[in-house]
Amino acid sequence: MKVLLPDSVELDVTLPPGVTGVVYATAEPIPDDHLDAEVLVVWGNPPGQLADAARRLDRLRWVQTLAAGPDAVLQAGFGPDVTVTAGLGLHDRTVAEHTLALVLAAARRLNLLVRAQIGHRWAGELGGLQPVREKHSFRTLRDAHVVIWGFGGIAATLAPLLAALGARVTGVARSAGERHGFPVVTETDLDRLLPTADVLISILPATADTVRTLHGPVFDLLPSHAWVVNVGRGSTLDEKDLISAVRAGRIAGAALDVFETEPLPVDSGLWDEPNVIISPHAAGGRPLGAATLIEENVAAFVNDRPLRNRVA
């Protein structure tokens, strides 16, 4: 059995006897002499390359993406007989760390401080003596209410970090209850929950049900001092509604790592908003534990056992 491994990430993988690993270039079509592969591991493959692989790998049985969200693979056109597994868990720590950085940047107004630095201006209004408690403004995680919409593995890693800095965290997911020591409610509770939020963090996946879920009516529920942070998928955010909400002062600002079109077009109105923080899909990018996941799933595949993180 042949397993195709991407050259986009260093993988020290030990495969079972009878299984051959072949490294391929993700930016190029799969070579003809490797079209007999039964397993394809994906990481950072361009859409065109994935679509080409879907057409030409006629013996393919399984695709393992190292991305937490399998949407790119599911859209590539692989047949219904091809199993797809995702990289859930590989990005929990990296995305949680970046999300925390975005939240702290918003609280400490690093966006405005950087602009002042570029202009050689001492932003005295953002320094010096500060009130211990500042009403109607998000300036600290201490006693702040942070709502995380999409409470999976990344949120489970992020929530304790926020709590350690004094935040009260509430999750939003498909089912209510308690997860990892934090209360979780469903979307039916958003009407009462969002008006109490200082920060709304979205880690929603890209599905047909989540397209532009973050839109005007959601922003209208938030208090005017609240910030919106999106580290899930760009398709979940209505960027026009967000710009309108920020410009009208209905929300205080947004910190965004993912966008509907990437790279973000130069004519996007998001670039010039002082209270919008932009990072270039930088939260993940490093699938920690990828080799272990591949090894475990290949062993399961060879022995006809259930695969971890199966999505299709």
Side-chain angles (χ1 to χ4, degrees):
M1 185 177 79
K2 183 180 292 184
V3 177
L4 297 180
L5 302 168
D7 68 350
S8 51
V9 60
E10 184 177 348
L11 293 169
D12 184 10
V13 178
T14 301
L15 300 174
V19 179
T20 301
V22 176
V23 177
Y24 72 96
T26 57
E28 301 174 6
I30 303 296
D32 290 345
D33 53 349
H34 295 314
L35 296 180
D36 58 342
E38 296 181 54
V39 181
L40 175 66
V41 180
V42 169
W43 177 239
N45 302 51
Q49 195 271 353
L50 277 179
D52 179 74
R55 286 192 301 268
R56 296 171 57 233
L57 291 171
D58 54 11
R59 294 184 59 184
L60 195 67
R61 298 169 56 199
W62 164 38
V63 178
Q64 169 70 67
T65 176
L66 301 182
D71 41 298
V73 171
L74 296 177
Q75 295 165 8
F78 292 99
D81 56 336
V82 176
T83 299
V84 177
T85 53
L88 297 175
L90 303 183
H91 306 275
D92 292 355
R93 285 182 287 169
T94 54
V95 177
E97 182 178 48
H98 193 83
T99 307
L100 179 63
L102 291 177
V103 172
L104 288 173
R108 293 296 179 163
R109 300 297 191 267
L110 293 190
N111 53 310
L112 301 181
L113 292 174
V114 168
R115 284 173 176 259
Q117 179 180 347
I118 292 172
H120 295 194
R121 183 180 74 85
W122 182 264
E125 74 279 9
L126 298 174
L129 303 181
Q130 302 290 322
V132 175
R133 296 184 183 277
E134 192 167 349
K135 292 183 178 180
H136 311 301
S137 180
F138 171 58
R139 296 299 301 272
T140 176
L141 279 172
R142 187 182 64 256
D143 299 325
H145 184 200
V146 179
V147 175
I148 304 178
W149 196 350
F151 207 88
I154 294 170
T157 303
L158 173 63
L161 303 178
L162 297 168
L165 292 174
R168 176 169 63 92
V169 179
T170 304
V172 181
R174 292 181 179 178
S175 57
E178 183 178 295
R179 299 186 190 180
H180 310 283
F182 296 92
V184 176
V185 302
T186 66
E187 294 180 19
T188 59
D189 292 302
L190 288 175
D191 285 356
R192 68 166 182 81
L193 183 68
L194 292 185
T196 71
D198 298 293
V199 183
L200 170 62
I201 299 173
S202 173
I203 318 180
L204 290 169
T207 68
D209 294 332
T210 62
V211 174
R212 295 188 176 91
T213 294
L214 301 171
H215 63 152
V218 170
F219 305 143
D220 289 342
L221 288 171
L222 292 166
S224 60
H225 69 270
W227 275 69
V228 173
V229 178
N230 189 18
V231 294
R233 283 292 185 265
S235 61
T236 65
L237 173 67
D238 189 315
E239 294 175 5
K240 291 183 179 179
D241 282 4
L242 178 74
I243 292 173
S244 295
V246 171
R247 288 177 176 171
R250 300 202 311 274
I251 60 173
L256 311 174
D257 184 58
V258 289
F259 303 88
E260 187 169 12
T261 299
E262 297 182 355
L264 183 65
V266 295
D267 59 353
S268 170
L270 293 169
W271 288 113
D272 296 320
E273 288 301 318
N275 286 318
V276 173
I277 299 171
I278 292 172
S279 62
H281 206 141
R286 299 168 294 277
L288 305 180
T292 299
L293 174 62
I294 294 168
E295 290 172 352
E296 291 178 356
N297 264 355
V298 168
F301 188 75
V302 169
N303 293 286
D304 199 26
R305 299 197 308 266
L307 299 179
R308 179 176 153 193
N309 299 342
R310 179 168 179 168
V311 295

